[in-house]
């Protein structure tokens, strides 16, 4: 049995995975606010799941994997930077080793979601594939030669901060024109709200990316314009990724993936039109399919990957 933990800004999701990569138990609780509180919650979760593995499944826990929304050291032991949680330089493995009996492995959450897709989702049987998560921001996880790829220094794919144009607002990183300011779920909402304001249209509810895609699919003019711009920039980013890494599959996860065929058809057309080498085999684009527990499954799979090295 392996413990997988996915630390989000709001909730910590956790679970027990058996050696056939099946999640046999899962749970979720609020993340907490201060570093001490979050670390204590993690230790408590690990100790509780260890007890549960013994009492309910008669199994030992072989290891613990943890995903965080931030930058992790190449040794997978140290959280270097995690803006959401306000963490900088946190030696998480060392801290948790003292509070539990386990040595944890830590990785960026997008890397782990990609690992989950590779084992049980949209990147199965794919040697080289990429998961792009289109949510609040844009994250990327890469599989190369059937292994997670984290770059030469451990930073991996910070694809959300690839500059692809000029935008009407700056990115949270301080620069202008980052991919995630065009291609995240937040980005299309922000752009649509600007269009409404420019046209003096007021709305009485919070707009979601899903609403924009649904209304565009029905042929409504403004939403359709927003989706047209959205897919143009998403395609630019994807074509850049194809030009740099030439993956076999690019999988799209996160909130935007609910847009279904409508988005996929428009996007695929634009990506195909902009291929550098037309007619040559190129990345297939699909939606992520490992589900909303991919982060937990990926964290547990990280342990499996590290133990079989
Ligand atoms: Zn940025």
């Amino acid at each position: 049995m392996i413990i997988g933990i996915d630390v989000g800004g709001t909730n910590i999701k956790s679970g027990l995975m058996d050696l056939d990569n099946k999640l046999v138990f899962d749970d979720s609780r609020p993340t907490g606010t201060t570093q001490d509180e979050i670390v204590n919650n993690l230790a408590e979760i690990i100790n509780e799941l260890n007890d549960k593995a013994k009492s309910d499944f008669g199994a030992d826990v072989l290891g613990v994997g943890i995903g965080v929304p931030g930058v992790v050291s190449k040794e997978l032991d140290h959280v270097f930077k995690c803006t959401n949680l306000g963490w900088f330089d946190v030696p998480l493995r060392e801290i948790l080793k003292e509070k539990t009996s386990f040595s944890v492995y830590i990785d960026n959450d997008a890397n782990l979601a990609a690992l989950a897709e590779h084992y049980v989702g949209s990147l199965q049987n794919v040697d080289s594939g990429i998961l792009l998560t289109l949510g609040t921001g844009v994250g990327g996880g890469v599989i190369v030669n059937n292994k997670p790829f984290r770059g030469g220094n451990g930073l991996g794919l910070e694809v959300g901060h690839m500059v692809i144009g000029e935008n009407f607002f700056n990115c949270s990183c301080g620069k202008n024109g980052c991919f995630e300011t065009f291609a995240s779920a937040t980005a299309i909402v922000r752009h649509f709200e600007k269009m409404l304001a420019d046209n003096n249209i007021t709305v009485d509810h919070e707009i979601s990316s899903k609403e924009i895609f649904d209304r565009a699919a029905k042929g409504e003019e403004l939403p359709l314009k927003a989706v047209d711009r959205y897919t143009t920039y998403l395609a630019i980013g994807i074509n850049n990724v194809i030009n740099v890494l030439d993956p076999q599959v690019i999988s799209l996860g996160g909130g935007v993936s609910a847009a279904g065929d409508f988005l996929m058809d428009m996007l695929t057309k634009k990506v195909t039109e902009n291929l550098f080498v037309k007619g040559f085999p190129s990345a297939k684009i699909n939606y992520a399919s490992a589900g909303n527990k991919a982060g937990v499954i990926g964290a547990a799979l990280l342990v499996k990957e590290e133990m079989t090295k």
Side-chain angles (χ1 to χ4, degrees), residues 160-161 171-175 178 180-181:
H161 302 282
C171 182
S172 59
C173 76
K175 286 205 291 286
C178 290
E180 74 176 31
T181 66

